[in-house]
Amino acid sequence: MSQPASNSSAASSASTVEDFKANLASIRGRIATAESAAGRAAGSVRLLPVTKTVPEDRLRLAIEAGVQWLGENKVQEAARKAENLADIAGLKYSVIGHLQTNKAKDVARFAHEFQALDNLRQATALQRRLELEDRSLDVFVQVNTSGEETKFGLEPSAVPTFLKSLPGLDRLRVKGLMTLAIFSTDHQAVRTCFTMLRELRDQLRQDAPEGIGLEELSMGMSGDFELAIAEGSTVVRVGQGIFGARALPDSHYWPGFAG
């Protein structure tokens, strides 16, 4: 398997509040530099820390250091953390991995954001559960820009029709699109995935259904987020750059890609 687009994607493992502050400052500095290089306003990109596999004791240190969002791939792990960290006010949870419809009830209960919407059955299940919880949920439509069979997400050509099926699901607030780039050292191949998502978003904006927001682009991870920012990303998902390398392979959480 290829390596990520950057060889410096994983930070040293943080074990103190000061360690986390240093790692966060490093990532935020790189984001700011990329924003400036792309001619974009400072603060136009949101950092979403990817906290999969990180235990609650370390998360408390990261939160003390300034982490406010927790990005999780697996719903069961995210739900456990939401319960165990319920004493901390203001935490927000983003579910960024594939969702089976039988887990929609859990996401509807605790999540603030879902970044992997890619089929109508899933959307309908979320709508029904959100109605029961009397909540709404920000969502991103996941698009498979790399064409890899190991990745979830809609084919780009299927996105316009899918968006037209969503306006009746009023508990889902569509904010934009999300993608995972190809897992490669070829920066041009990686950037092509980001370019494709931006161009698709721009095309869809021309006749998007009423109530469908397409302002956000969630693309870029620890090894490639500078490339994503250059192509218009508004949310970058960074895990190893903040928390250090994981014990389990990334394929356990995101087939074919590191975060």
Side-chain angles (χ1 to χ4, degrees):
M1 180 180 289
S2 303
Q3 294 301 308
S6 169
N7 292 326
S8 58
S9 59
S12 57
S13 183
S15 58
T16 67
V17 172
E18 292 306 314
D19 289 342
F20 280 114
K21 285 182 177 179
N23 288 352
L24 285 166
S26 175
I27 294 297
R28 288 171 176 154
R30 288 169 58 189
I31 290 172
T33 298
E35 287 172 334
S36 177
R40 299 178 56 187
S44 60
V45 178
R46 169 162 60 102
L47 171 61
L48 175 59
V50 177
T51 53
K52 60 189 180 186
T53 78
V54 181
E56 286 86 336
D57 58 341
R58 292 188 68 214
L59 285 179
R60 287 182 180 275
L61 298 175
I63 292 162
E64 186 176 345
V67 164
Q68 296 176 317
W69 278 89
L70 306 184
E72 290 284 337
N73 284 69
K74 293 187 176 294
V75 175
Q76 185 174 354
E77 181 178 351
R80 185 198 78 217
K81 290 175 179 176
E83 181 177 350
N84 292 343
L85 299 173
D87 58 299
I88 301 176
L91 276 184
K92 294 184 177 181
Y93 291 85
S94 180
V95 176
I96 55 180
H98 179 69
L99 176 67
Q100 296 178 334
T101 54
N102 65 349
K103 299 291 186 182
K105 62 182 182 297
D106 299 311
V107 171
R109 187 163 53 246
F110 74 86
H112 299 84
E113 182 177 85
F114 174 54
Q115 290 203 10
L117 188 71
D118 67 0
N119 67 79
L120 188 56
R121 183 182 176 197
Q122 182 190 70
T124 302
L126 283 169
Q127 169 75 15
R128 184 170 61 251
R129 289 294 180 174
L130 287 163
E131 288 173 347
L132 293 173
E133 296 287 339
D134 194 22
R135 297 184 72 228
S136 296
L137 182 68
D138 290 346
V139 298
F140 289 64
V141 174
Q142 184 172 355
V143 183
N144 186 343
T145 55
S146 69
E148 296 170 285
E149 294 182 0
T150 56
K151 288 189 173 71
F152 292 103
L154 291 162
E155 294 299 316
S157 61
V159 178
T161 299
F162 181 64
L163 289 180
K164 290 175 182 176
S165 71
L166 296 179
L169 305 178
D170 62 340
R171 297 295 176 134
L172 303 180
R173 298 188 297 245
V174 180
K175 296 297 184 180
L177 307 177
M178 183 272 263
T179 199
L180 304 169
I182 189 170
F183 191 61
S184 173
T185 55
D186 183 344
H187 285 202
Q188 187 53 50
V190 171
R191 188 161 182 165
T192 295
C193 294
F194 301 144
T195 303
M196 184 184 300
L197 195 72
R198 174 178 52 78
E199 291 180 345
L200 175 64
R201 188 275 307 272
D202 293 346
Q203 175 188 346
L204 292 169
R205 272 176 163 174
Q206 298 176 22
D207 59 353
E210 186 176 352
I212 298 296
L214 293 172
E215 297 303 313
E216 304 284 344
L217 291 175
S218 177
M219 54 188 194
M221 300 173 77
S222 292
D224 58 22
F225 67 78
E226 283 102 341
L227 296 176
I229 291 172
E231 288 297 330
S233 177
T234 64
V235 182
V236 294
R237 309 177 303 271
V238 179
Q240 295 187 83
I242 297 171
F243 297 97
R246 302 184 188 97
L248 292 172
D250 291 286
S251 59
H252 182 74
Y253 294 90
W254 239 327
F257 209 96

